[in-house]
Amino acid sequence: MLGAAAALGAGILLAPNAIAADEWGPGYLIPDSTGNPDASHIGAYKVAGVDGVAYCGDPELAGPDAAGGYSPAQPVAAWTSKSSGKSASAEDLARAAYVLGKYGQTDNDEQAAAVDAVVYTYLEAGSTYALPDGKRALERLGYSNVPPSVKKWATGYLNEAAMFAGPYKVNIKPVDGALKPGVKTSVTLDVTSASGHKVPGIKLDLDVSGAMAGAGSITTNADGEATATLTPAQDGTVDLTAQAKTLPATQLHALTPNDAKAQRLLLAGGASSAQAEVHLKTESPKGGLVVTKTAADTKRPLPGVEFEVKNSAGKTVATGSTDAKGTWQATDLTPGTYTVHEVKAVEGYQLAADQQTTVTDGKTADVEVKDVKIPEQSKPQPRPVTISVLPQTGT
């Protein structure tokens, strides 16, 4: 930025042993674009009344000392260069916010200088102030008092922001099928950047309600993924909310000078957040049973036999009749003990006794029922009758 190093913004006090560079904050005093020594600065600026540091945003304008004070910081919805008249893209603004948010708040001279170079690169894209090959950008990084490491850091920040700048999205990968009560299920989560990269080292606060309740936190690993374990207590729906509260900033905040000939300032620091919510179905695995009906005497299947199935509470949960092969199947039964009751037998056969069977997770129980033929009633045999012949008598 331009301006005399000795001029101070209103309200800034220096310690008795302060040097010129301290007036600007961390970074390095360098010649301005016309060669005046120590007339510019690559790094951050300390602003009266602001907790932390800020960075200049208009390389062609006078330094903050000429601002006559600044208005309170406001979010930046759009940014137009005052030197070129070109507008910065939303992508570049988000990337600048990422670098300022993650690396701008520092007391390290090299780091602050690298951030300053990155900010100009994004806000003055394609200009002489923009890396990788802008003439003034390379001059600012090439002065003898500016360590070569600053350029390396700035290049690293640009590459990192291209991968990990926001806006961000929290993703909860869908679970195959329903959750099962009492069974642990792993759910994978991640946070993706605007470029689609998974962001490592992000803390996710979890809140669970519904068929299970609880809260906790997990952090994405080096691959940008995290795993949560859910164990529902009962059938129903598990409501899972994952929130990332401390993501890098996605929006710039600028201080506007009271005097328009001075540079705008961009605040360091800041953060953003993102969250996602899913509703996971929880249900006990279903099973079933197959009834096979045969005649006890002939071993042949008996079609048309009516059955009902009752649960352990005595409630009828399924009804039906056997087909031509003598079979009938009841499905979608919750694991447990059931009673198979024959309601109506075919003509000539007796009703079979009730049978109990156990249905387990995802399996079908076989129930064999044999009907016994109704025995024929014995026909009564005639009894011989002896009729005595009475003697005939005459008159």
Side-chain angles (χ1 to χ4, degrees):
M1 61 188 174
L2 306 177
L8 298 178
I12 297 182
L13 301 178
L14 296 179
N17 61 345
I19 59 175
D22 292 331
E23 301 167 14
W24 303 95
Y28 306 94
L29 284 174
I30 59 175
D32 63 18
S33 58
T34 62
N36 296 318
D38 295 343
S40 188
H41 183 256
I42 181 168
Y45 189 79
K46 294 180 180 178
V47 185
V50 174
D51 183 16
V53 296
Y55 292 79
C56 289
D58 299 301
E60 299 292 335
L61 301 184
D65 51 282
Y70 282 87
S71 63
Q74 296 294 327
V76 174
W79 184 277
T80 301
S81 168
K82 291 189 176 182
S83 58
S84 68
K86 295 181 179 179
S87 296
S89 68
E91 181 181 73
D92 279 346
L93 293 179
R95 291 179 178 182
Y98 174 90
V99 176
L100 280 168
K102 190 169 182 180
Y103 299 108
Q105 199 67 272
T106 180
D107 291 325
N108 183 285
D109 292 333
E110 292 170 281
Q111 184 170 323
V115 171
D116 190 19
V118 166
V119 169
Y120 277 172
T121 297
Y122 286 128
L123 301 187
E124 301 287 333
S127 77
T128 187
Y129 287 90
L131 293 171
D133 51 14
K135 180 180 177 181
R136 179 57 182 162
L138 296 176
E139 283 179 351
R140 297 173 81 226
L141 294 172
Y143 289 113
S144 60
N145 64 321
V146 179
S149 58
V150 173
K151 183 179 178 182
K152 182 178 180 180
W153 287 20
T155 301
Y157 294 163
L158 290 169
N159 292 336
E160 182 180 332
M163 293 179 62
F164 297 126
Y168 300 97
K169 182 180 179 183
V170 176
N171 306 289
I172 305 174
K173 293 186 178 179
V175 177
D176 292 334
L179 305 182
K180 300 177 182 179
V183 178
K184 291 182 179 179
T185 301
S186 295
V187 178
T188 303
L189 304 91
D190 62 56
V191 179
T192 50
S193 65
S195 64
H197 287 84
K198 296 176 182 178
V199 187
I202 300 301
K203 179 184 177 183
L204 290 164
D205 292 321
L206 306 180
D207 183 72
V208 186
S209 60
M212 67 173 289
S217 64
I218 53 177
T219 301
T220 56
N221 59 20
D223 295 323
E225 293 188 342
T227 301
T229 301
L230 304 178
T231 309
Q234 59 192 17
D235 285 357
T237 301
V238 172
D239 305 312
L240 171 63
T241 301
Q243 185 175 25
K245 299 178 181 178
T246 56
L247 291 165
T250 57
Q251 187 173 41
L252 297 171
H253 286 77
L255 301 164
T256 303
N258 293 332
D259 190 327
K261 69 175 179 288
Q263 299 201 43
R264 291 168 288 182
L265 294 179
L266 295 160
L267 291 182
S272 66
S273 63
Q275 75 172 46
E277 182 177 357
V278 294
H279 308 284
L280 305 173
K281 186 177 181 181
T282 300
E283 63 179 7
S284 301
K286 304 299 183 183
L289 58 84
V290 174
V291 175
T292 302
K293 183 68 173 175
T294 57
D297 54 346
T298 65
K299 306 295 191 289
R300 292 180 178 178
L302 293 177
V305 181
E306 297 180 12
F307 286 93
E308 65 180 11
V309 177
K310 299 180 179 181
N311 62 18
S312 58
K315 180 182 178 181
T316 299
V317 294
T319 60
S321 58
T322 56
D323 58 18
K325 296 181 180 180
T327 62
W328 169 66
Q329 184 172 6
T331 60
D332 203 31
L333 299 177
T334 301
T337 301
Y338 292 88
T339 299
V340 178
H341 173 69
E342 186 172 337
V343 177
K344 182 180 178 181
V346 296
E347 185 176 353
Y349 287 86
Q350 302 180 50
L351 291 173
D354 290 349
Q355 289 193 45
Q356 283 194 333
T357 187
T358 299
V359 173
T360 56
D361 295 358
K363 296 183 180 180
T364 300
D366 293 317
V367 181
E368 294 185 2
V369 181
K370 296 180 180 181
D371 277 4
V372 176
K373 196 172 181 62
I374 298 174
E376 294 184 4
Q377 297 290 333
S378 58
K379 295 180 180 180
Q381 296 295 321
R383 249 183 348 180
V385 177
T386 303
I387 300 175
S388 300
V389 178
L390 297 174
Q392 293 182 349
T393 60
T395 55

